[in-house]
Amino acid sequence: MNILCIGGGPAGLYFALLMKQLNPRHRVTVVERNKPYDTFGWGVVFSDATMDNMREWDPVTAAEIEKAFNHWDDIELHFKGEVIRSGGHGFVGIGRKKLLNILQARCEQLGVDLVFETDVVSDADFPEADLIIASDGINSNIRTRHQDVFKPDIVVRPNRYIWLGTHKQYDAFTFLFEKTEHGWFQAHIYKFDENTTTFIVECPEHVWQAHGLDRADQAESIAFCEKLFAGNLQGEKLMTNARHLRGSAWLNFQRVKCEQWAHFNGRSHVVLMGDAVHTAHFAIGSGTKLAIEDAIELTRQFRDLGDTPAHIPEVLARYQALRSVEALKLQNAAWNAMAWFEVCGLRYCDRMAPPQFMYSMLTRSQRISHENLRLRDRQWLEDYEAWFSGGPVILPMLTPLKVRDLTLHNRIVVSPMATYSAVEGTPQDFHLVHLGARALGGAALVMVEMTSPTPEGRITPRCTGLWNDEQTAAFKRICRFVHGQGTAKIGLQLGHSGPKGSTQVGWEQTDEPLKDGNWPLLAASAVPYGTQNQVPHAMTRVDMDLLTQQFVAATQRAVAAGFDWLELHCAHGYLLSSFITPLTNLRTDEYGGDITRRCRYPLEVFRAMRAVWPTHLPMSVRISAHDWAPGGNTDDDAVVIAKLFKDAGCDLIDVSSGQTTRDARPVYGRMYQTPFADRIRNEVGIQTIAVGAISEADHANSIIAAGRADLCAIARPHLADPAWTLHEAAKLQTQAVAWPRQYLSGRDQLDREVLRQKQALALANSSQSATISEANNRPD
C-alpha cells in the first residue's frame, strides 16, 4: 500500500513505523508542517498499560522511550497548607520533543519517508495514496474539509490554561491549589526528563479575567504564575516554548468527538487518528495514550484482516467499531476529570478539608473506585477511612449519619419502589414481609413506596394510600415491626400521581392507562403524559387548597403510624413535578413562568407538611434534577430548586432525574445520576441522597467518601437481595454492620466462605505470577 500520514505527532509517526515494520513493502510517508525539533508543549504522560502495549508492538521504540522517560507512582497534593501523598498510580512522563525524536529516528530506521515544513491543506493533493491518515491535530484541516462526513462535535470548555515548564524537580505527579482574592488556581505538574518539569496552570474564565490575564502578554502571564506559586517554586523560574503564539498563550480546551472516523474521497481512504478524531483533557493526561493506542489498533486490524488496498474498507470499519468504544470510555473519564477541575473552586475547594479533597480528586474520573484505591495504596486509604469515620477504620458506607435528632447507623437506604400489592390503598401482609425483610437486611433506612394522600392520587389501583384509619393502622403495624427488630429506621414517601395516575400495574404495561375504571386526573396544566394517557384537569386554587390539606392530613397520619422519616415526591412527572418542569407547566398565573414561580405550589405543600411533621425528625424531597429533554429543566435548574426547598426547611434532597416526559432521553451508565447529587450537595450546601445505577458497595463507598452524597438509595439490587447491605459488607470482610441475632450463624458461615474464596484467588494469582516469572527467566 501507499500510506500517507498527515501530521507528525505521536499518532502519525507511531502508525507509520508500525505499518512499515508490519510490511516493509508498504510505502509510508509522514508529512509534518513543523521543523523536526519544533513542537508545542513540554512533557506528555501515559500509563504503564500503554507502555506494555508499546513493548509488545515495537520493543525497539519502547526500549528507547524507557531510557528517556521519567516514571513515578505517587500523586501529591498541596492544599490549604497540607501536603498529602498517595502511591501506586503508575505514570510515565517524557518530553514531547524527545518522544517525537525517538519516533522520527525509528521511522527513518525502518524506511519511512519523513517530510517536514510542509503544510497539508487537502487530502485531494495526494491522489496516489491508498490510505491517508489524518493525524493533523485538534485543528485538523482534513477533518474540517470533510466535516459533513466526519460530523465532529467540538465543545470549547470554559477554563483557561497555560502550558509552561520549569527546571524545579518533582518526584510525584503534583497538584498545587492556590486561592487569590478572585478565586482558585490549580497547577498540574510532572517531571519529564532529568532537568525539566511540565507546569500547567489552570483557572476559571472569570478568575482569569478578574486578574487581567486576558490583557497580559506571555511574559506578564509567566510573571503572574511565578508570583502565585512562589512558595512552591522556591526561586525557580517558569518557561514557555510557545513564543510563536500570539497573545498570552492561555488556551481553552476543546473536546473533539467525531461520529464518523473514515471517508473515501474518490481516490483514497481517509481516516482520522489522534486529536483529529478525539481529544482527552490533560486532567488525566491521556491524549498521547489515545494516539498511540489508535495506531496500535489500526495496525492490528491490518495484520489480522489483511494489509492490501482491497482490505482497507473492512479494516477501517472494524477499527472504528472497536476503537470508538474504547476511546469513548477514556473520553468520558477525561470529561469527568476535566469537569471536576472546572468546578473545584466553586464546589470543593472552600467546602472540603484536605483529606476529603484529595480523595475526591483521586476519584474524579470515576474510573478509580474505593477498592481500587486500596489496591494502589492500602495504607493511605485506611488512614483516610479512619479520618472519615473519626476513629476506627470503617467503610464509608457503614458510617453513621445524624439528621436532626435521628441517627442512621449507616449510609444505605432501601429506595422507595412500587410493589402494586395494596388493597384499596391499604398495605397487606406482603408489605410487612417485603419491608420487614429489608429492614433486617442491614440498610439504615427503609422507605415505603410512593403513597398517596387521596384515592385519586395513586399511580395504579394497587398502590398504597394514607387517607383513612385502616391504612394508618396497617402502616403502624409495619413500623412497629421494624422498630422492634434492630436499628433500621423506616420512612414514608408521600406523593400524588397527577398526570401519570390511573395506569396499569408494573408487570402489565407501565404508565399505560387502565383498560377500564379510570378516574379523573389532576396536573399543573392540561398536558397529558402521553397521547395515550388521559388529559388531566388543570388545578384551580380550590383544588390546590384541598390537596394541600390532604397532604397535611396524610402527614399527621404518618406521625401516628410511627414513621421516622418523611419524603415529599416532587419528581418523575407526578403532580408536584408537573408544576416544576416547564414541559408540563403552561400556567400563566403566579404558579407558572420562571423556575421560582413553578416551584411555588410544591413549596406550599412542603411547608404545610413540615409544619405538622415533628421538628426533631427529618424531611427530604425527591426531585428530577434533569428532564433529559429539549426545553426541560437541567442541573442548573436543579440547583435553584434545591435552594428553594432548603430555605423552606428541607433536610435532604433525594436526587433522581427524568421520567417527566415520554420524550426524555437519559444518558445511562453506572452512578449516572450521582453528579447531580454531587453538584447540589456541594453548591447548595444541603445533604443529598444519590440514586440510580448504584449496585455495589464499591459505588456507595466511593460516593460517600468523596462527599458526592450523604446517603445512597439502592433500588433494584434490594429487590433481588433483601440483605444487600449485609452481603456487600461480608464481601469486604467487615462486621461493622449489625446482623440480626437470629442470623449470626449465617454471617459466620458467609464470612468463612468469602475468606476461603479470597485465599484461593490469592493462591491462583501467586501461582500464575510464578509461572510467568519462570517463563521469562528461561533461556532461549
Side-chain angles (χ1 to χ4, degrees):
M1 289 190 295
N2 186 347
I3 301 170
L4 175 74
C5 298
I6 301 174
L13 289 170
Y14 199 61
F15 178 73
L17 71 86
L18 289 182
M19 285 301 292
K20 192 68 175 178
Q21 181 179 248
L22 178 68
N23 187 343
R25 292 177 298 170
H26 294 319
R27 178 184 174 188
V28 185
T29 305
V30 178
V31 180
E32 166 59 39
R33 65 182 177 181
N34 293 320
K35 299 176 183 179
Y37 296 99
D38 187 13
T39 181
F40 175 71
W42 292 92
V44 297
V45 298
F46 39 91
S47 67
D48 286 348
T50 301
M51 277 306 307
D52 289 341
N53 286 338
M54 296 180 77
R55 291 185 192 98
E56 176 185 348
W57 283 87
D58 183 24
V60 175
T61 299
E64 288 299 310
I65 291 174
E66 286 178 325
K67 291 178 186 177
F69 71 43
N70 188 71
H71 182 276
W72 66 93
D73 287 314
D74 291 356
I75 291 176
E76 187 170 279
L77 168 69
H78 295 239
F79 180 62
K80 294 182 178 178
E82 293 190 27
V83 178
I84 303 176
R85 194 176 182 108
S86 168
H89 301 284
F91 294 95
V92 173
I94 186 172
R96 179 175 170 82
K97 182 184 294 186
K98 182 65 176 178
L99 174 64
L100 294 183
N101 291 162
I102 290 171
L103 297 179
Q104 290 162 1
R106 180 63 172 152
C107 281
E108 291 174 340
Q109 185 183 63
L110 292 168
V112 174
D113 295 325
L114 301 181
V115 180
F116 293 100
E117 299 183 73
T118 301
D119 196 6
V120 176
V121 176
S122 171
D123 50 290
D125 295 340
F126 305 90
E128 72 283 359
D130 299 305
L131 176 67
I132 295 176
I133 305 297
S135 51
D136 50 344
I138 192 170
N139 297 312
S140 169
N141 288 328
I142 309 305
R143 186 191 66 224
T144 301
R145 187 170 186 268
H146 299 294
Q147 60 184 347
D148 57 328
V149 175
F150 294 125
K151 299 179 181 177
D153 176 18
I154 302 175
V155 179
V156 179
R157 299 306 300 171
N159 268 20
R160 292 281 180 165
Y161 71 94
I162 184 169
W163 200 301
L164 303 172
T166 180
H167 289 311
K168 178 177 168 61
Q169 301 297 291
Y170 294 82
D171 62 353
F173 202 135
T174 302
F175 294 94
L176 311 180
F177 288 81
E178 293 288 347
K179 187 175 185 179
T180 72
E181 67 272 25
H182 298 300
W184 286 87
F185 284 79
Q186 57 256 13
H188 310 241
I189 305 168
Y190 53 90
K191 179 182 175 183
F192 63 84
D193 66 24
E194 292 181 358
N195 304 308
T196 326
T197 297
T198 291
F199 201 104
I200 305 171
V201 180
E202 180 186 13
C203 67
E205 177 86 9
H206 72 275
V207 177
W208 180 72
Q209 290 182 347
H211 281 285
L213 294 169
D214 54 331
R215 302 183 300 277
D217 61 22
Q218 289 194 47
E220 291 168 333
S221 292
I222 291 172
F224 174 87
C225 294
E226 286 177 345
K227 182 178 179 181
L228 178 64
F229 295 104
N232 184 269
L233 286 169
Q234 297 178 327
E236 291 287 350
K237 298 296 184 181
L238 293 174
M239 307 173 290
T240 179
N241 61 2
R243 301 291 183 187
H244 58 286
L245 297 180
R246 294 180 180 179
S248 67
W250 290 86
L251 305 173
N252 293 92
F253 177 76
Q254 296 183 62
R255 194 290 314 272
V256 176
K257 182 170 63 174
C258 293
E259 182 178 318
Q260 183 66 30
W261 290 25
H263 168 59
F264 182 67
N265 67 11
R267 287 180 175 270
S268 309
H269 291 275
V270 182
V271 60
L272 303 177
M273 187 177 287
D275 283 351
V277 68
H278 46 53
T279 56
H281 191 261
F282 55 82
I284 63 172
S286 293
T288 303
K289 171 186 172 69
L290 277 172
I292 294 294
E293 293 183 351
D294 283 350
I296 289 173
E297 187 57 53
L298 186 53
T299 305
R300 188 198 318 275
Q301 295 310 314
F302 276 117
R303 183 197 66 185
D304 294 349
L305 300 178
D307 60 339
T308 71
H311 290 100
I312 293 176
E314 180 186 8
V315 165
L316 295 186
R318 180 69 174 160
Y319 166 66
Q320 178 173 347
L322 292 174
R323 189 70 191 129
S324 61
V325 173
E326 293 305 311
L328 183 59
K329 290 178 182 177
L330 197 60
Q331 278 194 300
N332 287 342
W335 182 278
N336 292 336
M338 170 195 69
W340 189 93
F341 280 105
E342 288 175 350
V343 301
C344 64
L346 170 67
R347 199 174 293 175
Y348 309 119
C349 289
D350 293 316
R351 179 183 178 87
M352 290 184 173
Q356 188 169 50
F357 187 84
M358 176 68 163
Y359 186 101
S360 179
M361 187 182 75
L362 290 176
T363 59
R364 64 191 182 276
S365 71
Q366 295 189 33
R367 297 182 80 198
I368 297 177
S369 68
H370 194 77
E371 291 307 309
N372 186 263
L373 282 175
R374 198 180 308 280
L375 290 174
R376 292 168 183 245
D377 192 338
R378 173 180 289 273
Q379 186 59 57
W380 180 86
L381 184 63
E382 289 183 354
D383 288 345
Y384 178 71
E385 288 173 333
W387 176 88
F388 187 86
S389 62
V393 173
I394 302 175
L395 292 173
M397 76 174 203
L398 299 181
T399 57
L401 178 70
K402 185 176 182 181
V403 187
R404 296 205 178 216
D405 290 345
L406 184 74
T407 297
L408 299 179
H409 287 266
N410 60 59
R411 307 301 186 94
I412 303 302
V413 178
V414 177
S415 198
M417 296 171 285
T419 58
Y420 314 107
S421 299
V423 176
E424 297 298 327
T426 302
Q428 304 298 300
D429 286 348
F430 172 85
H431 294 89
L432 174 66
V433 175
H434 167 71
L435 295 167
R438 281 141 190 88
L440 295 173
L445 176 64
V446 177
M447 293 295 296
V448 176
E449 64 197 76
M450 189 180 94
T451 298
S452 173
T454 73
E456 300 78 19
R458 290 173 295 165
I459 304 168
T460 78
R462 300 301 303 275
C463 288
T464 53
L466 192 50
W467 63 79
N468 63 36
D469 292 344
E470 182 182 359
Q471 295 158 354
T472 305
F475 276 124
K476 188 172 185 177
R477 178 185 178 216
I478 295 170
C479 290
R480 186 185 304 117
F481 177 85
V482 171
H483 292 149
Q485 298 302 320
T487 61
K489 309 299 181 185
I490 184 166
L492 178 69
Q493 185 186 72
L494 281 178
H496 189 292
S497 60
K500 295 176 74 174
S502 191
T503 56
Q504 300 174 42
V505 299
W507 48 80
E508 294 174 341
Q509 290 183 295
T510 304
D511 294 331
E512 297 300 308
L514 296 171
K515 295 178 180 178
D516 55 64
N518 287 282
W519 59 80
L521 305 180
L522 292 174
S525 303
V527 178
Y529 183 62
T531 55
Q532 64 271 55
N533 295 91
Q534 293 181 65
V535 176
H537 168 66
M539 293 183 74
T540 65
R541 180 69 260 178
V542 172
D543 295 328
M544 294 160 71
D545 289 341
L546 176 59
L547 185 58
T548 301
Q549 294 171 12
Q550 291 167 326
F551 267 107
V552 167
T555 300
Q556 292 169 325
R557 291 184 178 278
V559 176
F563 283 103
D564 304 298
W565 189 291
L566 186 63
E567 179 165 285
L568 179 62
H569 203 318
C570 295
H572 299 167
Y574 298 125
L575 189 138
L576 297 179
S577 173
S578 76
F579 276 87
I580 294 174
T581 174
L583 299 174
T584 54
N585 186 338
L586 308 182
R587 300 176 74 100
T588 57
D589 61 5
E590 64 270 33
Y591 294 95
D594 65 24
I595 185 64
T596 302
R597 290 158 66 98
R598 297 198 307 271
C599 286
R600 184 172 178 177
Y601 181 60
L603 287 165
E604 287 181 4
V605 173
F606 176 84
R607 290 191 183 99
M609 293 168 61
R610 180 73 261 186
V612 298
W613 180 248
T615 57
H616 67 282
L617 294 179
M619 267 193 76
S620 57
V621 173
R622 172 167 282 200
I623 68 169
S624 285
H626 204 297
D627 287 335
W628 299 108
N633 285 330
T634 68
D635 51 324
D636 290 336
D637 301 297
V639 169
V640 178
I641 295 166
K643 179 67 165 60
L644 291 170
F645 277 107
K646 176 187 176 184
D647 293 344
C650 179
D651 299 300
L652 290 94
I653 302 294
D654 187 354
V655 188
S656 187
S657 70
Q659 303 178 57
T660 57
T661 171
R662 287 184 184 268
D663 296 328
R665 296 294 180 268
V667 180
Y668 293 111
R670 60 188 180 90
M671 303 181 288
Y672 73 104
Q673 294 177 149
T674 298
F676 302 140
D678 183 350
R679 181 177 182 185
I680 289 170
R681 180 185 190 270
N682 291 298
E683 287 188 24
V684 178
I686 186 172
Q687 292 180 320
T688 59
I689 306 173
V691 62
I694 302 169
S695 59
E696 303 172 10
D698 214 15
H699 297 165
N701 282 320
S702 299
I703 290 168
I704 300 303
R708 298 187 176 102
D710 300 275
L711 294 169
C712 288
I714 313 296
R716 290 177 177 86
H718 271 127
L719 293 180
D721 181 3
W724 181 89
T725 305
L726 298 180
H727 293 159
E728 288 295 300
K731 291 177 186 176
L732 296 173
Q733 297 278 277
T734 178
Q735 294 187 0
V737 58
W739 281 62
R741 291 174 297 178
Q742 300 91 330
Y743 299 162
L744 287 177
S745 60
R747 180 201 66 184
D748 296 341
Q749 172 65 26
L750 180 58
D751 286 345
R752 288 192 295 269
E753 182 60 32
V754 169
L755 181 59
R756 279 197 294 268
Q757 291 173 0
K758 286 181 177 291
Q759 290 171 338
L761 180 61
L763 181 61
N765 289 338
S766 177
S767 299
Q768 183 180 22
S769 298
T771 301
I772 293 172
S773 177
E774 180 183 352
N776 290 339
N777 292 322
R778 189 178 300 136
D780 292 337

